[in-house]
Amino acid sequence: MKQLISVALLLLAALFVVGCSGTDKQFHIGVSQCSEDAWRKQMNGEILRETFMYGNVDVEFRAANDNNEKQIEDIKYFINKNVDLLVVSPNETDAIASIVETAYDRGIPVVIVDRKLNSSKYNAFIGADNFQIGKSVGNYISSLSAGNLKVVELKGLTNSSPAEERHEGFVSAFEHHPNLEVVASVDAEWLRDVAFEKMDSLLIAGTDIDVCFAHNDM
């Protein structure tokens, strides 16, 4: 998926460059990441690498560290800089919709990456089918045993679209696999330390668990 994201952003940047070829204009891309984990650092590195193919494109990254207010301020910063392209991975579906719409209404092209936005005011979305991911996990877990399986779900951040869609897809698999039982479903916020604490509490409480479904690898 990271390669798809970097290639797509490269193509968008190339459109700006080709559209105004022969000018000395410098093209500025602002990237607003919701967090700063290893996966997103790798994505940022790939985006930056692609921009090196052009002499008149630069990119600036800002990370919100899972804070809606910080991401709103980051996007305001890019709007005030009048960037030529705004790339956003929303922390939550609703919380930053208004400020993204402001950027779009100002004429700044907007690409939403990975997590969805509760608005139609953007130019492109690049991301996975998270509902199908969750459903595939449910189908796979059911295939592990013909008997009943007790499952713990460590979800991503509540109100972030991948967490909601992975959960919905996972639950949809239960219609065809009655041997699955979710004994706990907790919000791990996409964070390793939080997931560790929540899982540890379940184990200490003596929760009967056969399988753990974590929404992300961290």
Side-chain angles (χ1 to χ4, degrees):
M1 180 177 170
K2 294 190 292 291
Q3 291 178 338
L4 290 175
I5 289 171
S6 62
V7 170
L9 294 179
L10 166 63
L11 292 175
L12 285 165
L15 287 174
F16 288 113
V17 175
V18 172
C20 295
S21 59
T23 74
D24 294 326
K25 176 178 171 57
Q26 189 73 17
F27 293 87
H28 302 278
I29 301 174
V31 180
S32 171
Q33 293 281 20
C34 54
S35 60
E36 199 172 12
D37 55 39
W39 182 79
R40 294 185 188 280
K41 287 180 179 179
Q42 178 69 19
M43 185 201 304
N44 291 347
E46 293 186 6
I47 293 171
L48 186 61
R49 181 192 65 202
E50 299 293 352
T51 65
F52 292 156
M53 297 177 63
Y54 302 95
N56 59 337
V57 177
D58 62 58
V59 59
E60 182 176 357
F61 302 93
R62 293 177 82 89
N65 299 318
D66 309 298
N67 185 295
N68 292 325
E69 294 304 318
K70 173 67 166 60
Q71 188 161 40
I72 289 170
E73 290 304 313
D74 288 345
I75 296 172
K76 285 181 180 178
Y77 167 83
F78 286 130
I79 292 173
N80 291 334
K81 289 194 72 173
N82 196 30
V83 294
D84 297 293
L85 173 67
L86 177 63
V87 180
V88 181
S89 182
N91 187 52
E92 293 185 13
T93 306
D94 295 313
I96 68 162
S98 178
I99 190 63
V100 172
E101 289 176 342
T102 298
Y104 181 87
D105 289 339
R106 294 275 184 92
I108 299 174
V110 177
V111 178
I112 303 299
V113 175
D114 179 40
R115 303 184 185 183
K116 293 179 180 177
L117 186 74
N118 191 12
S119 171
S120 60
K121 290 190 173 184
Y122 59 87
N123 298 86
F125 170 75
I126 305 169
D129 185 342
N130 286 290
F131 182 90
Q132 186 58 48
I133 289 173
K135 187 174 182 178
S136 296
V137 170
N139 290 337
Y140 171 74
I141 291 175
S142 180
S143 73
L144 297 176
S145 171
N148 294 332
L149 292 172
K150 298 182 183 297
V151 184
V152 161
E153 182 184 21
L154 298 179
K155 299 191 295 184
L157 178 68
T158 299
N159 297 325
S160 66
S161 62
E164 293 176 346
E165 291 171 359
R166 289 177 193 182
H167 172 73
E168 291 168 1
F170 182 57
V171 171
S172 75
F174 293 5
E175 299 174 6
H176 308 287
H177 306 298
N179 61 319
L180 300 183
E181 177 188 357
V182 176
V183 294
S185 184
V186 297
D187 182 358
E189 303 175 23
W190 303 117
L191 301 175
R192 182 186 184 279
D193 290 346
V194 176
F196 187 95
E197 179 182 346
K198 296 289 180 69
M199 188 66 179
D200 195 47
S201 296
L202 291 171
L203 294 172
I204 291 173
T207 307
D208 188 9
I209 304 169
D210 297 307
V211 183
C212 174
F213 167 34
H215 276 201
N216 77 340
D217 52 341
M218 298 296 291

